[in-house]
Amino acid sequence: MNDSQGKVTLVGAGPGDPELLTLKAVKALRAATVVLVDDLVSPDIVALAPQGARIVHVGKRGGCKSTPQAFIERLMVMAAREGENVVRLKGGDPFIFGRGGEEVEHLREAGVHVEVVNGITSGLAAVTALGVPLTHREHAQGVVFVTGHAQRGGEPPDWRALAEAAHQARLTLVIYMGVSGAQQIQDQLLAGLPARTPAAVVQRATMPDQREAITTLGELAATIAREQMTSPAVIVVGDVIRGVAAVRQEEPRVRAA
Ligand code: SAH
């Protein structure tokens, strides 16, 4: 590593609302000369980069034209070696289902200085957007963040084991990337959790067009189909969702106060 080298900062852009960025994220963006942007990141956040910064959109949503991961990694290494101050802007938190781990590994192997700035992960923000907590002394003693998709070349999550653990240990399940496979996830979770377990789907949490559906595990896939909920959305399964009804009843009084 020589002194003229730049660096790469993986920055969590949070769930959508620019006000949920950390001060560290804003600082890193303001100092960037090159910004690589994932497609879930709002333009208002990208606009925090300096006027002269080079902005590269490298989104890779399912079904859309994608930028291969290897290309993104090469681009970061090249730019850093040219002395650029690279910000890799990723939705939510870079280390939650964002391939941030792979990117950091690749950069370190290439001898590039790399830093990571946490962001608010969408699973956390989605539940807060419903007005209920992820853990609760009476309803949930912990949280599981789990992907609804099998990892590349790997096995899907063991839903039955997760359901049993959630039931016995009273855990909230927060499922990312689960909307398209909801029927299968529902069927398998029902092996360990009652059909009446409260569930919610939050689409585009904290964005101006956020949508929510409150349902039960037994009705999860039917609700997603009926309400036409699509990605990006998180599915939440657990007793903490029971509190949403109370929040909604309270709301008019709170607003009127
Ligand atoms: N690193 C990201 C997750 C990337 S995986 C994070 O920490 O949030 C992409 C998945 O995240 C989507 O399929 C969806 O399940 C979830 N997601 C991202 N942004 C979201 C949002 N604003 N609202 C709901 N779900 C979101």
Side-chain angles (χ1 to χ4, degrees), residues 5-9 11 22-36 45-55 79 83-89 115 117:
Q5 270 224 355
K7 65 170 180 182
V8 176
T9 312
V11 174
T22 63
L23 291 176
K24 239 188 199 343
V26 174
K27 194 170 155 196
L29 259 173
R30 290 204 169 131
T33 57
V34 174
V35 187
L36 274 66
I45 292 174
V46 181
L48 292 168
Q51 283 272 314
R54 195 160 64 133
I55 312 289
E84 304 285 359
N85 194 355
V86 183
V87 163
R88 172 83 172 102
L89 200 49
E115 288 172 18
V117 177

mmCIF file of all heavy atoms in Angstrom, residues 5-9 11 22-36 45-55 79 83-89 115 117:
data_model
loop_
_atom_site.group_PDB
_atom_site.id
_atom_site.type_symbol
_atom_site.label_atom_id
_atom_site.label_comp_id
_atom_site.label_asym_id
_atom_site.label_seq_id
_atom_site.Cartn_x
_atom_site.Cartn_y
_atom_site.Cartn_z
ATOM 1 N N GLN A 5 -2.441 6.000 -2.380
ATOM 2 C CA GLN A 5 -3.648 5.175 -2.522
ATOM 3 C C GLN A 5 -4.865 5.845 -1.931
ATOM 4 O O GLN A 5 -4.764 6.546 -0.920
ATOM 5 C CB GLN A 5 -3.425 3.862 -1.786
ATOM 6 C CG GLN A 5 -2.825 2.814 -2.656
ATOM 7 C CD GLN A 5 -3.493 1.466 -2.481
ATOM 8 O OE1 GLN A 5 -4.362 1.291 -1.631
ATOM 9 N NE2 GLN A 5 -3.115 0.523 -3.290
ATOM 10 N N GLY A 6 -5.978 5.617 -2.554
ATOM 11 C CA GLY A 6 -7.234 6.075 -1.987
ATOM 12 C C GLY A 6 -7.754 5.030 -1.032
ATOM 13 O O GLY A 6 -6.998 4.198 -0.533
ATOM 14 N N LYS A 7 -9.045 5.063 -0.800
ATOM 15 C CA LYS A 7 -9.628 4.042 0.067
ATOM 16 C C LYS A 7 -11.078 3.814 -0.360
ATOM 17 O O LYS A 7 -11.637 4.564 -1.171
ATOM 18 C CB LYS A 7 -9.556 4.478 1.528
ATOM 19 C CG LYS A 7 -10.401 5.699 1.833
ATOM 20 C CD LYS A 7 -10.472 5.936 3.333
ATOM 21 C CE LYS A 7 -11.326 7.160 3.607
ATOM 22 N NZ LYS A 7 -11.445 7.519 4.981
ATOM 23 N N VAL A 8 -11.645 2.766 0.195
ATOM 24 C CA VAL A 8 -13.051 2.467 -0.079
ATOM 25 C C VAL A 8 -13.805 2.472 1.251
ATOM 26 O O VAL A 8 -13.357 1.855 2.220
ATOM 27 C CB VAL A 8 -13.230 1.097 -0.768
ATOM 28 C CG1 VAL A 8 -14.698 0.777 -0.959
ATOM 29 C CG2 VAL A 8 -12.497 1.064 -2.114
ATOM 30 N N THR A 9 -14.918 3.169 1.301
ATOM 31 C CA THR A 9 -15.768 3.114 2.488
ATOM 32 C C THR A 9 -17.118 2.517 2.093
ATOM 33 O O THR A 9 -17.801 3.050 1.219
ATOM 34 C CB THR A 9 -15.982 4.519 3.096
ATOM 35 O OG1 THR A 9 -14.717 5.175 3.193
ATOM 36 C CG2 THR A 9 -16.615 4.428 4.472
ATOM 37 N N VAL A 11 -20.695 2.237 2.858
ATOM 38 C CA VAL A 11 -21.563 3.076 3.669
ATOM 39 C C VAL A 11 -22.992 2.540 3.639
ATOM 40 O O VAL A 11 -23.571 2.344 2.558
ATOM 41 C CB VAL A 11 -21.533 4.540 3.157
ATOM 42 C CG1 VAL A 11 -22.537 5.399 3.903
ATOM 43 C CG2 VAL A 11 -20.135 5.129 3.305
ATOM 44 N N THR A 22 -26.548 8.016 9.159
ATOM 45 C CA THR A 22 -25.717 8.423 10.296
ATOM 46 C C THR A 22 -24.892 9.645 9.886
ATOM 47 O O THR A 22 -24.681 9.897 8.690
ATOM 48 C CB THR A 22 -24.739 7.305 10.717
ATOM 49 O OG1 THR A 22 -23.854 7.066 9.628
ATOM 50 C CG2 THR A 22 -25.461 6.018 11.075
ATOM 51 N N LEU A 23 -24.403 10.375 10.885
ATOM 52 C CA LEU A 23 -23.531 11.520 10.600
ATOM 53 C C LEU A 23 -22.265 11.050 9.890
ATOM 54 O O LEU A 23 -21.742 11.721 9.011
ATOM 55 C CB LEU A 23 -23.161 12.239 11.902
ATOM 56 C CG LEU A 23 -24.305 12.975 12.601
ATOM 57 C CD1 LEU A 23 -23.819 13.562 13.920
ATOM 58 C CD2 LEU A 23 -24.867 14.084 11.714
ATOM 59 N N LYS A 24 -21.785 9.877 10.271
ATOM 60 C CA LYS A 24 -20.581 9.313 9.649
ATOM 61 C C LYS A 24 -20.825 9.031 8.161
ATOM 62 O O LYS A 24 -19.940 9.237 7.340
ATOM 63 C CB LYS A 24 -20.221 8.003 10.355
ATOM 64 C CG LYS A 24 -18.831 7.992 10.965
ATOM 65 C CD LYS A 24 -18.572 6.588 11.445
ATOM 66 C CE LYS A 24 -17.505 6.393 12.429
ATOM 67 N NZ LYS A 24 -16.480 7.199 12.804
ATOM 68 N N ALA A 25 -22.027 8.564 7.845
ATOM 69 C CA ALA A 25 -22.360 8.276 6.447
ATOM 70 C C ALA A 25 -22.356 9.578 5.638
ATOM 71 O O ALA A 25 -21.818 9.634 4.527
ATOM 72 C CB ALA A 25 -23.731 7.603 6.359
ATOM 73 N N VAL A 26 -22.951 10.612 6.199
ATOM 74 C CA VAL A 26 -23.011 11.901 5.491
ATOM 75 C C VAL A 26 -21.591 12.434 5.290
ATOM 76 O O VAL A 26 -21.237 12.902 4.197
ATOM 77 C CB VAL A 26 -23.871 12.911 6.287
ATOM 78 C CG1 VAL A 26 -23.821 14.288 5.644
ATOM 79 C CG2 VAL A 26 -25.309 12.417 6.397
ATOM 80 N N LYS A 27 -20.765 12.313 6.325
ATOM 81 C CA LYS A 27 -19.392 12.799 6.248
ATOM 82 C C LYS A 27 -18.613 12.058 5.144
ATOM 83 O O LYS A 27 -17.907 12.683 4.347
ATOM 84 C CB LYS A 27 -18.730 12.578 7.613
ATOM 85 C CG LYS A 27 -17.450 13.311 7.814
ATOM 86 C CD LYS A 27 -17.051 13.193 9.281
ATOM 87 C CE LYS A 27 -15.551 13.347 9.423
ATOM 88 N NZ LYS A 27 -15.074 12.873 10.715
ATOM 89 N N ALA A 28 -18.789 10.735 5.095
ATOM 90 C CA ALA A 28 -18.082 9.942 4.086
ATOM 91 C C ALA A 28 -18.551 10.334 2.684
ATOM 92 O O ALA A 28 -17.753 10.486 1.754
ATOM 93 C CB ALA A 28 -18.321 8.454 4.328
ATOM 94 N N LEU A 29 -19.854 10.520 2.536
ATOM 95 C CA LEU A 29 -20.395 10.886 1.220
ATOM 96 C C LEU A 29 -19.875 12.247 0.763
ATOM 97 O O LEU A 29 -19.536 12.431 -0.410
ATOM 98 C CB LEU A 29 -21.925 10.956 1.311
ATOM 99 C CG LEU A 29 -22.680 9.760 0.775
ATOM 100 C CD1 LEU A 29 -24.150 9.903 1.088
ATOM 101 C CD2 LEU A 29 -22.469 9.612 -0.728
ATOM 102 N N ARG A 30 -19.824 13.179 1.692
ATOM 103 C CA ARG A 30 -19.368 14.541 1.347
ATOM 104 C C ARG A 30 -17.909 14.565 0.928
ATOM 105 O O ARG A 30 -17.471 15.487 0.253
ATOM 106 C CB ARG A 30 -19.612 15.489 2.527
ATOM 107 C CG ARG A 30 -21.096 15.742 2.731
ATOM 108 C CD ARG A 30 -21.358 17.046 3.455
ATOM 109 N NE ARG A 30 -22.775 17.369 3.409
ATOM 110 C CZ ARG A 30 -23.497 17.729 4.465
ATOM 111 N NH1 ARG A 30 -22.923 17.816 5.650
ATOM 112 N NH2 ARG A 30 -24.770 18.022 4.328
ATOM 113 N N ALA A 31 -17.152 13.552 1.359
ATOM 114 C CA ALA A 31 -15.728 13.521 1.029
ATOM 115 C C ALA A 31 -15.438 12.629 -0.184
ATOM 116 O O ALA A 31 -14.289 12.482 -0.596
ATOM 117 C CB ALA A 31 -14.944 13.027 2.231
ATOM 118 N N ALA A 32 -16.488 12.033 -0.773
ATOM 119 C CA ALA A 32 -16.282 11.036 -1.833
ATOM 120 C C ALA A 32 -15.872 11.684 -3.160
ATOM 121 O O ALA A 32 -16.312 12.786 -3.486
ATOM 122 C CB ALA A 32 -17.560 10.230 -2.034
ATOM 123 N N THR A 33 -15.015 10.997 -3.906
ATOM 124 C CA THR A 33 -14.732 11.430 -5.282
ATOM 125 C C THR A 33 -15.388 10.476 -6.287
ATOM 126 O O THR A 33 -15.647 10.830 -7.412
ATOM 127 C CB THR A 33 -13.216 11.490 -5.552
ATOM 128 O OG1 THR A 33 -12.649 10.198 -5.294
ATOM 129 C CG2 THR A 33 -12.548 12.533 -4.656
ATOM 130 N N VAL A 34 -15.638 9.249 -5.834
ATOM 131 C CA VAL A 34 -16.357 8.260 -6.660
ATOM 132 C C VAL A 34 -17.414 7.609 -5.768
ATOM 133 O O VAL A 34 -17.109 7.240 -4.633
ATOM 134 C CB VAL A 34 -15.405 7.161 -7.191
ATOM 135 C CG1 VAL A 34 -16.175 6.072 -7.925
ATOM 136 C CG2 VAL A 34 -14.328 7.750 -8.100
ATOM 137 N N VAL A 35 -18.652 7.477 -6.270
ATOM 138 C CA VAL A 35 -19.711 6.839 -5.475
ATOM 139 C C VAL A 35 -20.339 5.717 -6.299
ATOM 140 O O VAL A 35 -20.822 5.947 -7.407
ATOM 141 C CB VAL A 35 -20.803 7.854 -5.059
ATOM 142 C CG1 VAL A 35 -21.800 7.209 -4.101
ATOM 143 C CG2 VAL A 35 -20.202 9.096 -4.417
ATOM 144 N N LEU A 36 -20.301 4.521 -5.751
ATOM 145 C CA LEU A 36 -20.962 3.377 -6.401
ATOM 146 C C LEU A 36 -22.275 3.127 -5.666
ATOM 147 O O LEU A 36 -22.268 2.839 -4.465
ATOM 148 C CB LEU A 36 -20.081 2.130 -6.302
ATOM 149 C CG LEU A 36 -19.027 1.954 -7.392
ATOM 150 C CD1 LEU A 36 -17.975 3.035 -7.306
ATOM 151 C CD2 LEU A 36 -18.382 0.592 -7.297
ATOM 152 N N ILE A 45 -30.202 10.894 -1.203
ATOM 153 C CA ILE A 45 -28.995 10.512 -0.465
ATOM 154 C C ILE A 45 -27.772 10.644 -1.374
ATOM 155 O O ILE A 45 -26.754 11.205 -0.981
ATOM 156 C CB ILE A 45 -29.145 9.080 0.106
ATOM 157 C CG1 ILE A 45 -30.222 9.092 1.204
ATOM 158 C CG2 ILE A 45 -27.814 8.553 0.628
ATOM 159 C CD1 ILE A 45 -30.585 7.750 1.774
ATOM 160 N N VAL A 46 -27.911 10.181 -2.605
ATOM 161 C CA VAL A 46 -26.799 10.285 -3.562
ATOM 162 C C VAL A 46 -26.429 11.754 -3.765
ATOM 163 O O VAL A 46 -25.255 12.110 -3.922
ATOM 164 C CB VAL A 46 -27.182 9.628 -4.913
ATOM 165 C CG1 VAL A 46 -26.020 9.709 -5.895
ATOM 166 C CG2 VAL A 46 -27.612 8.175 -4.698
ATOM 167 N N ALA A 47 -27.431 12.637 -3.691
ATOM 168 C CA ALA A 47 -27.208 14.071 -3.919
ATOM 169 C C ALA A 47 -26.317 14.713 -2.850
ATOM 170 O O ALA A 47 -25.860 15.842 -3.036
ATOM 171 C CB ALA A 47 -28.553 14.791 -3.976
ATOM 172 N N LEU A 48 -26.039 14.003 -1.762
ATOM 173 C CA LEU A 48 -25.151 14.541 -0.728
ATOM 174 C C LEU A 48 -23.681 14.491 -1.152
ATOM 175 O O LEU A 48 -22.829 15.142 -0.556
ATOM 176 C CB LEU A 48 -25.329 13.762 0.588
ATOM 177 C CG LEU A 48 -26.690 13.946 1.278
ATOM 178 C CD1 LEU A 48 -26.848 12.920 2.393
ATOM 179 C CD2 LEU A 48 -26.803 15.357 1.847
ATOM 180 N N ALA A 49 -23.388 13.717 -2.197
ATOM 181 C CA ALA A 49 -22.006 13.644 -2.698
ATOM 182 C C ALA A 49 -21.652 14.984 -3.359
ATOM 183 O O ALA A 49 -22.539 15.679 -3.859
ATOM 184 C CB ALA A 49 -21.878 12.501 -3.693
ATOM 185 N N PRO A 50 -20.368 15.342 -3.375
ATOM 186 C CA PRO A 50 -19.979 16.624 -3.986
ATOM 187 C C PRO A 50 -20.342 16.664 -5.484
ATOM 188 O O PRO A 50 -20.380 15.618 -6.138
ATOM 189 C CB PRO A 50 -18.461 16.646 -3.820
ATOM 190 C CG PRO A 50 -18.138 15.626 -2.804
ATOM 191 C CD PRO A 50 -19.227 14.607 -2.822
ATOM 192 N N GLN A 51 -20.593 17.846 -5.976
ATOM 193 C CA GLN A 51 -20.951 18.074 -7.390
ATOM 194 C C GLN A 51 -20.046 17.311 -8.368
ATOM 195 O O GLN A 51 -20.516 16.705 -9.305
ATOM 196 C CB GLN A 51 -20.823 19.571 -7.692
ATOM 197 C CG GLN A 51 -21.969 20.406 -7.154
ATOM 198 C CD GLN A 51 -23.103 20.496 -8.134
ATOM 199 O OE1 GLN A 51 -22.877 20.736 -9.310
ATOM 200 N NE2 GLN A 51 -24.323 20.280 -7.659
ATOM 201 N N GLY A 52 -18.749 17.388 -8.119
ATOM 202 C CA GLY A 52 -17.794 16.823 -9.075
ATOM 203 C C GLY A 52 -17.593 15.318 -8.950
ATOM 204 O O GLY A 52 -16.888 14.726 -9.753
ATOM 205 N N ALA A 53 -18.198 14.692 -7.953
ATOM 206 C CA ALA A 53 -17.960 13.253 -7.736
ATOM 207 C C ALA A 53 -18.543 12.431 -8.886
ATOM 208 O O ALA A 53 -19.568 12.789 -9.456
ATOM 209 C CB ALA A 53 -18.581 12.819 -6.412
ATOM 210 N N ARG A 54 -17.834 11.339 -9.196
ATOM 211 C CA ARG A 54 -18.343 10.455 -10.245
ATOM 212 C C ARG A 54 -19.337 9.473 -9.610
ATOM 213 O O ARG A 54 -18.975 8.771 -8.658
ATOM 214 C CB ARG A 54 -17.184 9.705 -10.895
ATOM 215 C CG ARG A 54 -17.576 9.049 -12.210
ATOM 216 C CD ARG A 54 -16.355 8.760 -13.010
ATOM 217 N NE ARG A 54 -15.612 7.796 -12.233
ATOM 218 C CZ ARG A 54 -15.065 6.662 -12.706
ATOM 219 N NH1 ARG A 54 -15.079 6.374 -13.896
ATOM 220 N NH2 ARG A 54 -14.445 5.815 -11.932
ATOM 221 N N ILE A 55 -20.562 9.457 -10.127
ATOM 222 C CA ILE A 55 -21.599 8.582 -9.569
ATOM 223 C C ILE A 55 -21.810 7.401 -10.528
ATOM 224 O O ILE A 55 -22.101 7.610 -11.704
ATOM 225 C CB ILE A 55 -22.946 9.338 -9.423
ATOM 226 C CG1 ILE A 55 -22.767 10.711 -8.750
ATOM 227 C CG2 ILE A 55 -23.979 8.484 -8.700
ATOM 228 C CD1 ILE A 55 -22.445 10.676 -7.284
ATOM 229 N N ALA A 79 -10.230 2.166 -8.740
ATOM 230 C CA ALA A 79 -10.416 3.567 -8.353
ATOM 231 C C ALA A 79 -9.576 3.901 -7.119
ATOM 232 O O ALA A 79 -8.933 4.953 -7.060
ATOM 233 C CB ALA A 79 -11.894 3.847 -8.099
ATOM 234 N N GLY A 83 -6.101 6.528 -6.359
ATOM 235 C CA GLY A 83 -6.111 7.586 -5.348
ATOM 236 C C GLY A 83 -7.496 8.147 -5.054
ATOM 237 O O GLY A 83 -7.627 9.124 -4.324
ATOM 238 N N GLU A 84 -8.528 7.528 -5.625
ATOM 239 C CA GLU A 84 -9.888 8.048 -5.400
ATOM 240 C C GLU A 84 -10.373 7.701 -3.987
ATOM 241 O O GLU A 84 -9.960 6.709 -3.398
ATOM 242 C CB GLU A 84 -10.873 7.439 -6.415
ATOM 243 C CG GLU A 84 -10.504 7.651 -7.872
ATOM 244 C CD GLU A 84 -10.771 9.068 -8.355
ATOM 245 O OE1 GLU A 84 -11.273 9.907 -7.573
ATOM 246 O OE2 GLU A 84 -10.458 9.340 -9.525
ATOM 247 N N ASN A 85 -11.275 8.523 -3.519
ATOM 248 C CA ASN A 85 -11.930 8.273 -2.242
ATOM 249 C C ASN A 85 -13.304 7.668 -2.585
ATOM 250 O O ASN A 85 -14.244 8.380 -2.889
ATOM 251 C CB ASN A 85 -12.062 9.596 -1.490
ATOM 252 C CG ASN A 85 -12.402 9.379 -0.043
ATOM 253 O OD1 ASN A 85 -12.624 8.251 0.388
ATOM 254 N ND2 ASN A 85 -12.470 10.447 0.715
ATOM 255 N N VAL A 86 -13.352 6.349 -2.575
ATOM 256 C CA VAL A 86 -14.525 5.644 -3.086
ATOM 257 C C VAL A 86 -15.538 5.390 -1.975
ATOM 258 O O VAL A 86 -15.180 4.864 -0.920
ATOM 259 C CB VAL A 86 -14.125 4.274 -3.698
ATOM 260 C CG1 VAL A 86 -15.334 3.563 -4.287
ATOM 261 C CG2 VAL A 86 -13.033 4.451 -4.742
ATOM 262 N N VAL A 87 -16.797 5.741 -2.224
ATOM 263 C CA VAL A 87 -17.871 5.350 -1.307
ATOM 264 C C VAL A 87 -18.753 4.329 -2.010
ATOM 265 O O VAL A 87 -19.226 4.555 -3.114
ATOM 266 C CB VAL A 87 -18.702 6.569 -0.843
ATOM 267 C CG1 VAL A 87 -20.033 6.113 -0.245
ATOM 268 C CG2 VAL A 87 -17.930 7.359 0.210
ATOM 269 N N ARG A 88 -18.901 3.196 -1.363
ATOM 270 C CA ARG A 88 -19.792 2.155 -1.879
ATOM 271 C C ARG A 88 -21.062 2.268 -1.048
ATOM 272 O O ARG A 88 -21.086 1.888 0.135
ATOM 273 C CB ARG A 88 -19.116 0.799 -1.698
ATOM 274 C CG ARG A 88 -19.990 -0.377 -1.997
ATOM 275 C CD ARG A 88 -20.007 -0.638 -3.477
ATOM 276 N NE ARG A 88 -20.699 -1.894 -3.757
ATOM 277 C CZ ARG A 88 -21.948 -1.952 -4.200
ATOM 278 N NH1 ARG A 88 -22.648 -0.859 -4.390
ATOM 279 N NH2 ARG A 88 -22.496 -3.122 -4.450
ATOM 280 N N LEU A 89 -22.114 2.824 -1.673
ATOM 281 C CA LEU A 89 -23.345 3.145 -0.951
ATOM 282 C C LEU A 89 -24.322 1.980 -1.088
ATOM 283 O O LEU A 89 -24.758 1.650 -2.187
ATOM 284 C CB LEU A 89 -23.919 4.412 -1.587
ATOM 285 C CG LEU A 89 -24.904 5.268 -0.829
ATOM 286 C CD1 LEU A 89 -24.436 5.585 0.578
ATOM 287 C CD2 LEU A 89 -25.158 6.560 -1.597
ATOM 288 N N GLU A 115 -13.046 0.781 4.918
ATOM 289 C CA GLU A 115 -13.773 1.076 6.159
ATOM 290 C C GLU A 115 -15.249 0.777 5.942
ATOM 291 O O GLU A 115 -15.720 0.784 4.809
ATOM 292 C CB GLU A 115 -13.598 2.555 6.533
ATOM 293 C CG GLU A 115 -12.195 2.873 7.026
ATOM 294 C CD GLU A 115 -11.946 4.362 7.224
ATOM 295 O OE1 GLU A 115 -12.934 5.129 7.316
ATOM 296 O OE2 GLU A 115 -10.765 4.733 7.256
ATOM 297 N N VAL A 117 -19.226 1.797 7.361
ATOM 298 C CA VAL A 117 -20.090 2.644 8.182
ATOM 299 C C VAL A 117 -21.467 1.984 8.255
ATOM 300 O O VAL A 117 -22.125 1.789 7.223
ATOM 301 C CB VAL A 117 -20.227 4.064 7.576
ATOM 302 C CG1 VAL A 117 -21.188 4.903 8.401
ATOM 303 C CG2 VAL A 117 -18.865 4.742 7.485
#
